[in-house]
Amino acid sequence: MAKANESATVDKVDNSIGKLPAESSVLVVGAGGIGCELLKSLALCRFRSIGVIDLDTIEVSNLNRQFLFRREHVGQPKATVACDSIRRLCPSINIEPFHGDVITDPQFDISFYKRYDLVINALDNVQARQHVNRMCLLCSKPLIDSGSTGYNGQATLILKGRTQCYDCIEKPKQQRTYAVCTIRNTPSQPIHCIVWAKFLYNQLFGDNDDPNNEDVTPDADDPENGTTNGQEPVNTTAENGHHRISTRDWIQAEMEEFQPVRIFNKLFFDDINYLTTMKNLWEKRRQPIPIQYEQARQIQENTLNGQSDHEQSATPKLNDQRIQSINEYVQMFIESLNELKQRCDKQRQAASSSKEPAFLVWDKNDDADLRFVTASANLRAYIFGINLTSKFDVKSMAGNIIPAVATTNAIVAGITVLQARKVLATLPRSSNDHTLTSIKQLTNVFISTDRKTGAIIQSIQLEEPNPSCIQCSDLEQPVRVRLNMSLFTLHSLYERLIRKHLKMNKPDVIIADGSGRILVSADDDEDEEMMLKTLDQFKLINGTILLCEEEYDDETNEALLQHMKIKLMLEHTDTITDKNEYIIVDDQVIGEIKQIKQSLKRKYLEDDDDDDDNIQHLDDYQNELNIVKKTKKLSTSHDEHNNGPMHTSFVMLVDDQASA
């Protein structure tokens, strides 16, 4: 009886709040570490309509923390497999996968986001988060941004006009995690070699009992070393007899005798030879070239990968900023190896009579530590044909490596679902209204292991929007322009669209992505070669927002400086094949087009009742847009008592031939 009353009470409470999970639709962007935990928690909390976007496919290194995936799923899209796993957990759920790039895929436009009541970010990169932030601001959808770095995490709320958006505060330098199979087998960037070198440091001098210390030995279980569909990997015991020898196990005995040359040859010759036996890895990649110690000592070049002598000597550099030759890195490796071995022996002796740890901990500010990682990383980079990195840059890059922790992801996901329940409780039951009734009970939630800040899980009051934020300070919709990024040039954008069409004189054009990058400066002379480049060559993508801003003197008062700002949102489409064509798809413009169409229909009916072809022609949406050729006038309204930016509106003119 008590349980029945309790259940009735719960039902009564649920019915008194806003939207219920079962009535709501949620879009989850990202199906990785946090995303897997999040989808599971959403399903168990009775969310019944979920969309999932993810671009990536499953790798072996994902399996230790992304529990919706299994070995047989390697190589398959994360979004698809995650949704299949959730359906097995909850057969009644309506969950739909979208395998694509949330930034560049044209299907993820504003109308797509409007299908959902709430959007949740579970992303691991800044650019994608900024894009989703912009899209949610444009369609006034609540956004929960979740994330984790090591043992810290957060679930923050972004509510248009009422809280800070993702771009309201400056972001720290991005910190990333990397797939272990890439680090061990197929590095392609300097950072991959630096991560490998840090793993190697821990293998040689660190805590070998720590399960997070990855083995640096090549791994035949790499998914690309097999066929497909989870079959067994290709046999890597080559005809020349190369076998895999685990560095973790080998080093225990080797460090007792300690022969630096043997260690060098094991890492840069034996292991690389073993890697070359994995033929599938090198079908579309440059195969690494193993080098022995005596051979490496003779290599005096540092130009293997296009780093010319001219680039090296163009400007004076400090020693730490100079790319050294391979034989110098060999010497640096041996010297730092000897120094660290002596230090490690002393540390172990001290640990035998004290509570000191019996191992070394890598410190980017320690010169021997840094020299070892710099030398190891560059020797490996040379072998794989990757650009070498200065000691100065290694210090900067190596200090930003933070591991992904499964427990943190689970905590963040649980908090994010609670945040989602709170947001939905403030939404009206009407499916067409997404205005939050009250945000008094809402907070941001942070997870921190820094006890100085208080509890590990903390609720922080919501911050008001930053008035200087480019993304959310102006709450008006930007002008949406549809064009083909691969055909439309910067010259056409600036001269035809911005200056001729929008009637701006000579504005600065700034990419509103938080970087402050200026695309066109009004103060500089135009570079003809640059102006002829297409927009995609400037890495402008679907959803990019441009801020066009100019200053001019008021004609009636030369001392009064006026500001004019227009936001442009660029939308890519492959359907436009003319390099000079573009379409304005602003909501107000669409309304104008509909009015024009109705008036033209009436005109055609009055002139010729039998001319059905003309009416059918106007019913085609693409042809509706084609009747709008140019802007007749860009009117401005300015409050005499308001010194803020002017507001713009469009008056459309029908093509003379279409209305004749």
Side-chain angles (χ1 to χ4, degrees):
M1 188 67 177
K3 290 184 178 180
N5 290 337
E6 183 180 348
S7 177
T9 303
V10 170
D11 291 340
K12 184 176 180 181
V13 171
D14 285 346
N15 290 328
S16 67
I17 62 175
K19 283 182 173 289
L20 299 174
E23 305 173 326
S24 308
S25 56
V26 178
L27 175 64
V28 176
V29 188
I34 293 178
C36 285
E37 293 282 353
L38 184 58
L39 292 171
K40 176 260 298 181
S41 298
L42 288 170
L44 295 178
C45 289
R46 302 183 181 181
F47 285 82
R48 291 297 176 262
S49 180
I50 304 173
V52 184
I53 302 175
D54 199 290
L55 172 66
D56 292 338
T57 54
I58 299 165
E59 299 178 356
V60 171
S61 58
N62 301 145
L63 303 182
N64 69 333
R65 65 188 183 280
Q66 300 175 20
F67 69 96
L68 295 180
F69 310 139
R70 297 290 182 268
R71 183 58 182 259
E72 61 269 21
H73 298 143
V74 169
Q76 299 181 37
K78 284 187 177 181
T80 303
V81 176
C83 289
D84 290 342
S85 299
I86 293 299
R87 288 191 195 100
R88 289 194 293 272
L89 177 68
C90 181
S92 64
I93 198 169
N94 176 23
I95 185 168
E96 184 177 6
F98 299 94
H99 178 60
D101 191 331
V102 70
I103 301 177
T104 60
D105 196 323
Q107 71 172 313
F108 304 133
D109 57 9
I110 291 179
S111 61
F112 177 85
Y113 284 83
K114 286 183 176 179
R115 291 158 46 183
Y116 298 93
D117 296 308
L118 174 66
V119 180
I120 301 176
N121 268 351
L123 294 163
D124 62 355
N125 72 86
V126 172
Q127 188 181 26
R129 288 166 125 162
Q130 289 175 325
H131 178 78
V132 175
N133 173 65
R134 288 195 292 270
M135 299 301 285
C136 289
L137 291 174
L138 289 170
C139 58
S140 302
K141 293 292 182 182
L143 170 65
I144 303 176
D145 184 74
S146 65
S148 67
T149 52
Y151 294 101
N152 300 325
Q154 89 285 333
T156 56
L157 304 182
I158 298 173
L159 313 170
K160 180 180 177 181
R162 306 179 79 171
T163 71
Q164 286 184 342
C165 77
Y166 184 77
D167 286 317
C168 275
I169 55 176
E170 185 178 355
K171 300 295 177 291
K173 189 171 182 180
Q174 188 177 1
Q175 298 168 324
R176 295 197 57 183
T177 56
Y178 301 92
V180 173
C181 57
T182 300
I183 303 304
R184 290 176 180 169
N185 295 355
T186 55
S188 59
Q189 301 173 29
I191 186 63
H192 296 155
C193 299
I194 293 170
V195 174
W196 178 89
K198 287 194 67 178
F199 286 167
L200 176 61
Y201 178 97
N202 287 329
Q203 292 276 284
L204 296 172
F205 311 111
D207 182 7
N208 274 310
D209 294 329
D210 186 349
N212 293 319
N213 283 348
E214 296 288 349
D215 195 338
V216 298
T217 314
D219 188 1
D221 288 335
D222 191 306
E224 292 184 64
N225 187 42
T227 50
T228 54
N229 301 322
Q231 295 182 16
E232 289 298 317
V234 174
N235 183 8
T236 56
T237 302
E239 295 177 358
N240 58 13
H242 293 296
H243 297 274
R244 182 182 191 271
I245 301 175
S246 170
T247 303
R248 184 190 294 275
D249 300 329
W250 178 85
I251 209 66
Q252 300 296 324
E254 187 62 27
M255 289 301 281
E256 296 299 326
E257 300 179 6
F258 191 67
Q259 298 182 32
V261 174
R262 278 173 52 85
I263 295 175
F264 183 100
N265 288 333
K266 161 70 168 67
L267 298 170
F268 303 114
F269 186 77
D270 296 341
D271 284 355
I272 302 303
N273 269 323
Y274 175 73
L275 255 182
T276 60
T277 65
M278 304 181 197
K279 300 299 183 183
N280 288 351
L281 296 182
W282 317 118
E283 290 179 355
K284 298 180 181 180
R285 293 186 179 92
R286 173 193 179 278
Q287 183 170 299
I289 301 173
I291 54 174
Q292 287 183 307
Y293 174 73
E294 291 299 332
Q295 175 192 0
R297 286 182 60 194
Q298 308 304 317
I299 302 175
Q300 298 183 10
E301 59 182 326
N302 58 13
T303 60
L304 177 66
N305 310 293
Q307 295 170 292
S308 66
D309 292 332
H310 173 73
E311 291 175 13
Q312 289 297 314
S313 59
T315 57
K317 295 183 178 180
L318 300 174
N319 271 342
D320 285 358
Q321 295 176 309
R322 186 173 64 88
I323 302 293
Q324 301 186 43
S325 61
I326 295 303
N327 62 345
E328 288 177 301
Y329 284 127
V330 172
Q331 183 179 353
M332 183 186 295
F333 176 84
I334 298 297
E335 289 177 352
S336 60
L337 187 62
N338 282 316
E339 184 177 342
L340 291 171
K341 175 62 167 63
Q342 293 175 11
R343 187 188 300 176
C344 188
D345 290 341
K346 291 179 180 179
Q347 184 72 19
R348 288 175 180 171
Q349 290 177 5
S352 62
S353 58
S354 68
K355 295 183 179 180
E356 291 289 322
F359 51 86
L360 302 182
V361 177
W362 190 83
D363 182 1
K364 67 178 181 179
N365 295 313
D366 183 278
D367 187 63
D369 288 359
L370 186 57
R371 283 187 290 115
F372 176 83
V373 168
T374 300
S376 302
N378 280 308
L379 289 169
R380 186 169 175 85
Y382 183 87
I383 288 169
F384 282 86
I386 301 169
N387 284 340
L388 308 185
T389 310
S390 70
K391 181 180 172 184
F392 179 88
D393 289 331
V394 168
K395 181 176 181 178
S396 171
M397 298 166 73
N400 282 319
I401 301 167
I402 291 185
V405 180
T407 308
T408 308
N409 291 341
I411 296 172
V412 169
I415 291 172
T416 301
V417 173
L418 293 177
Q419 292 280 69
R421 292 291 302 262
K422 291 179 182 178
V423 171
L424 292 174
T426 67
L427 289 176
R429 299 295 285 271
S430 169
S431 60
N432 297 322
D433 189 354
H434 291 88
T435 304
L436 275 67
T437 55
S438 173
I439 64 171
K440 291 181 179 179
Q441 304 302 318
L442 301 179
T443 62
N444 291 326
V445 180
F446 292 88
I447 302 165
S448 175
T449 54
D450 183 0
R451 294 302 182 91
K452 296 178 182 178
T453 59
I456 292 178
I457 299 177
Q458 303 174 63
S459 295
I460 307 296
Q461 187 176 1
L462 299 177
E463 297 284 347
E464 293 185 356
N466 182 353
S468 62
C469 176
I470 293 177
Q471 300 298 340
C472 69
S473 59
D474 179 6
L475 298 181
E476 292 185 352
Q477 298 280 344
V479 178
R480 294 169 55 202
V481 182
R482 191 165 294 157
L483 43 79
N484 191 324
M485 297 276 196
S486 60
L487 299 177
F488 206 71
T489 63
L490 182 59
H491 178 271
S492 296
L493 175 76
Y494 195 65
E495 298 296 336
R496 293 172 59 85
L497 175 58
I498 296 175
R499 296 188 66 186
K500 186 176 180 180
H501 194 135
L502 300 183
K503 306 300 183 187
M504 300 190 80
N505 182 25
K506 199 174 181 183
D508 291 322
V509 181
I510 302 168
I511 302 175
D513 60 357
S515 67
R517 183 158 59 104
I518 297 176
L519 190 62
V520 180
S521 173
D523 297 329
D524 297 337
D525 294 333
E526 290 184 1
D527 183 336
E528 293 184 5
E529 184 178 350
M530 184 185 75
M531 297 298 287
L532 292 177
K533 291 183 177 180
T534 55
L535 299 184
D536 62 345
Q537 291 179 283
F538 296 95
K539 298 186 178 180
L540 303 187
I541 54 179
N542 183 58
T544 294
I545 292 180
L546 302 178
L547 180 63
C548 309
E549 182 176 13
E550 68 178 343
E551 298 179 350
Y552 61 94
D553 295 332
D554 190 294
E555 294 178 357
T556 61
N557 185 352
E558 294 184 359
L560 181 60
L561 192 66
Q562 300 286 345
H563 292 78
M564 184 176 183
K565 293 182 181 180
I566 295 179
K567 282 184 180 179
L568 291 178
M569 180 176 179
L570 306 182
E571 297 184 1
H572 172 75
T573 176
D574 291 323
T575 59
I576 293 179
T577 56
D578 187 334
K579 66 179 182 179
N580 293 318
E581 183 180 354
Y582 59 88
I583 299 169
I584 300 285
V585 284
D586 182 80
D587 290 341
Q588 179 179 349
V589 176
I590 296 297
E592 296 282 352
I593 292 172
K594 289 181 179 179
Q595 294 179 14
I596 293 168
K597 187 180 84 169
Q598 293 301 323
S599 65
L600 288 177
K601 275 188 177 182
R602 287 193 295 270
K603 182 178 184 301
Y604 283 131
L605 289 172
E606 291 171 0
D607 292 346
D608 187 356
D609 291 340
D610 297 328
D611 195 353
D612 294 334
D613 291 340
N614 286 331
I615 297 175
Q616 181 63 38
H617 177 76
L618 288 170
D619 281 334
D620 188 299
Y621 178 74
Q622 185 64 43
N623 289 321
E624 281 181 31
L625 297 176
N626 287 338
I627 67 175
V628 180
K629 290 294 185 182
K630 60 183 178 179
T631 298
K632 180 179 180 182
K633 179 182 177 184
L634 182 67
S635 62
T636 59
S637 60
H638 191 65
D639 191 338
E640 295 179 357
H641 304 290
N642 181 13
N643 293 325
M646 292 185 174
H647 303 294
T648 62
S649 59
F650 292 93
V651 179
M652 306 308 296
L653 179 68
V654 180
D655 177 32
D656 294 336
Q657 294 180 355
S659 59

